[in-house]
Amino acid sequence: MIVTIIAFIIVFGVLVFVHEFGHFYAAKKSGILVREFSIGMGPKIFAYHKNGTTYTWRLLPLGGYVRMAGLEDDEDTLQKGAPVSLVLNDDQIVTKINTSQKKILKNALPLIVTDWDLQKGLWIEGYENGDEEQVKRFKVDHDAMIIENDGTEIQIAPLDVQYQSVSVPKRLITNAAGPFNNFILAIIAFGLIAFIQGGVQVETNSNQIGTVQTSSVAAKAGLKADDRIVSVDGKKTDNWQELVNAISSRGGKETTLVVKNKNKTRQITLVPKVVKQNGEKIGQIGITEKIKTNHSIGAILSYGFVRTWQIIVAIFAALGQMFTHGFSLNDFGGPVAMYSMTSKAAHYGVLSVINLMAFLSINLGIMNLLPIPALDGGKIVLNVVEGIRKKPIDPNKEVVITMIGFALLMILMILVTWNDIRRYFF
């Protein structure tokens, strides 16, 4: 249980970190101010500010996020009539605005806020020291810091460093960088697996057994490694997929196998064990496919790219079938499904966990590229539309589109999570 939880946190954390770091790096290079880069969610444990970005470590070790200037609502940071304190430099320019009651700044000037502009004019005004006889305006430094209610210090977001102020191509690259990083992670992870194994395992797609699990139905029936199962209950099985399909349909039923090994042929009768997989009951006998290993350097170096591409093609094929053959919640998996898969992977060791992480990273990259509002793919579509129209999309319409997309995603996530709970725990 503990091993599964640790593995889940590591896998989930790495996936999110790599994804968000892609957005972070691209935004920085594009001239967009990244106000905060957070590891984890919830209350802040640690914070460090450098080069315009506040790096935070938060209590819950799941997820993370990047706050880009212009992409979050900052109106709640300052409020009219709220007490703040200002830190001024020698030129009487504000370098820090404290809105938090959790922090007290020495030699700071008390102010009751009446109005402000931290995007264009860069000023703040209010009643100094509670004196309501006169409103006083202070100039704010372009790189001034603001202390939020929870005590987090972040840089203010002037218009020239906001997301909307950079070119469309730069915004598009920034939005695509997260999924791109997920594909890079998968390539590296698969390459690492090949390197550790000393070669690339190649599925033969034959009807030959590679291993027989101890105490399994197959082991008790006398099946051994290198046996070839040429038919299942009279149905010919020329390759592994046909073999899997035939045995899967025989769960709990007495089944006769025709087995060959070298020049000897024999018949074996057994009853495949009924197991639950992805919400469906199938038959299993406890065997794995015969695997060959290519030890060449070229195979090892190229495996990450080849395997990543194979999975991308397979996922798009599965998505295509969803649209042509009907939609089912069983085609999706949320955090519960991910936890279940991590539990199984952790049982088989580190390489299995790395393999799962690579697979999930590809899934995360592709899902985020789908043209759905609130996802990276939806933002990319808006970037393309703006590039074609040669003018920005109405911000109000963009907000409505994003909110609708976000609401639909939340509904889907709730349905998928509930379906996962039913599939894996009931």
Side-chain angles (χ1 to χ4, degrees):
M1 181 71 173
I2 298 299
V3 173
T4 298
I5 293 174
I6 293 173
F8 176 76
I9 290 173
I10 291 174
V11 169
F12 193 82
V14 169
L15 291 180
V16 175
F17 173 80
V18 168
H19 181 91
E20 295 300 334
F21 184 79
H23 292 310
F24 165 81
Y25 184 79
K28 282 276 197 178
K29 288 296 183 180
S30 298
I32 301 169
L33 173 66
V34 179
R35 306 182 73 194
E36 182 184 359
F37 184 17
S38 173
I39 302 298
M41 307 291 283
K44 172 176 59 69
I45 298 174
F46 170 80
Y48 172 72
H49 181 81
K50 184 177 181 180
N51 297 331
T53 301
T54 298
Y55 301 89
T56 56
W57 190 281
R58 296 185 178 270
L59 182 62
L60 301 177
L62 295 175
Y65 56 86
V66 169
R67 288 174 63 181
M68 296 184 206
L71 284 185
E72 76 272 349
D73 185 6
D74 294 318
E75 293 303 316
D76 292 335
T77 303
L78 287 174
Q79 295 181 349
K80 291 184 178 182
V84 301
S85 57
L86 309 178
V87 175
L88 309 176
N89 62 17
D90 293 338
D91 297 321
Q92 296 301 294
I93 297 175
V94 177
T95 58
K96 186 175 291 187
I97 304 171
N98 182 17
T99 69
S100 175
Q101 302 301 313
K102 298 180 180 180
K103 281 194 174 184
I104 298 177
L105 303 178
K106 292 183 179 180
N107 302 319
L109 179 70
L111 188 79
I112 302 298
V113 178
T114 58
D115 204 357
W116 67 91
D117 180 359
L118 301 182
Q119 295 189 19
K120 296 180 181 179
L122 299 181
W123 52 264
I124 185 171
E125 63 182 25
Y127 302 120
E128 182 181 347
N129 290 314
D131 180 10
E132 298 186 6
E133 295 293 326
Q134 181 181 8
V135 173
K136 189 171 182 180
R137 175 175 291 195
F138 297 88
K139 186 176 180 182
V140 179
D141 186 78
H142 182 277
D143 299 328
M145 303 292 292
I146 185 165
I147 304 177
E148 299 181 309
N149 292 329
D150 67 351
T152 303
E153 294 189 31
I154 60 173
Q155 200 161 300
I156 65 171
L159 192 60
D160 63 302
V161 292
Q162 289 189 13
Y163 171 85
Q164 295 86 352
S165 297
V166 303
S167 65
V168 171
K170 287 182 177 180
R171 276 181 273 158
L172 194 151
I173 291 172
T174 299
N175 289 324
F180 177 79
N181 257 24
N182 285 124
F183 298 138
I184 295 298
L185 173 61
I187 292 171
I188 294 173
F190 283 133
L192 178 62
I193 291 173
F195 178 77
I196 293 174
Q197 291 177 336
V200 176
Q201 294 185 340
V202 181
E203 295 178 354
T204 59
N205 195 29
S206 70
N207 54 11
Q208 190 172 19
I209 297 173
T211 59
V212 178
Q213 295 176 8
T214 305
S215 301
S216 64
V217 172
K220 293 176 181 177
L223 286 170
K224 298 180 180 179
D226 294 330
D227 281 347
R228 291 183 181 274
I229 301 177
V230 296
S231 74
V232 176
D233 213 52
K235 186 177 181 180
K236 193 175 180 182
T237 52
D238 292 325
N239 56 59
W240 189 257
Q241 191 57 54
E242 290 178 354
L243 177 59
V244 170
N245 292 340
I247 293 176
S248 295
S249 64
R250 301 290 301 175
K253 302 175 183 176
E254 186 174 285
T255 303
T256 300
L257 310 180
V258 176
V259 182
K260 284 188 177 183
N261 194 322
K262 297 181 180 178
N263 296 324
K264 296 181 180 180
T265 301
R266 67 188 192 276
Q267 286 190 350
I268 291 177
T269 301
L270 47 71
V271 178
K273 181 181 178 181
V274 178
V275 297
K276 198 171 184 180
Q277 190 175 85
N278 296 329
E280 297 180 3
K281 292 182 178 180
I282 63 171
Q284 284 186 358
I285 61 175
I287 59 175
T288 63
E289 181 182 0
K290 180 72 174 180
I291 301 293
K292 293 182 178 180
T293 303
N294 185 341
H295 298 282
S296 69
I297 297 297
I300 293 174
L301 293 177
S302 63
Y303 180 69
F305 295 92
V306 172
R307 186 61 180 151
T308 298
W309 177 250
Q310 288 174 340
I311 294 177
I312 289 174
V313 171
I315 291 174
F316 274 110
L319 289 172
Q321 286 188 339
M322 283 173 50
F323 289 106
T324 56
H325 293 84
F327 168 86
S328 171
L329 286 176
N330 289 334
D331 296 325
F332 295 88
V336 175
M338 183 178 168
Y339 180 85
S340 178
M341 288 186 286
T342 303
S343 176
K344 293 177 182 178
H347 177 74
Y348 290 105
V350 175
L351 288 182
S352 182
V353 173
I354 295 174
N355 186 75
L356 174 65
M357 182 172 65
F359 176 76
L360 292 175
S361 189
I362 295 171
N363 271 270
L364 179 61
I366 291 177
M367 291 303 107
N368 267 280
L369 284 177
L370 294 179
I372 299 173
L375 292 181
D376 295 328
K379 296 174 184 177
I380 290 172
V381 170
L382 293 177
N383 294 150
V384 172
V385 170
E386 181 178 340
I388 294 173
R389 295 175 72 240
K390 302 295 183 183
K391 61 179 181 179
I393 298 173
D394 185 338
N396 294 326
K397 291 181 180 178
E398 186 172 343
V399 168
V400 171
I401 293 172
T402 301
M403 291 303 295
I404 291 174
F406 182 77
L408 292 175
L409 283 176
M410 288 300 99
I411 293 172
L412 178 61
M413 187 176 73
I414 292 170
L415 293 174
V416 168
T417 301
W418 173 244
N419 188 61
D420 284 346
I421 293 172
R422 290 175 56 231
R423 281 198 294 171
Y424 293 103
F425 297 103
F426 295 101

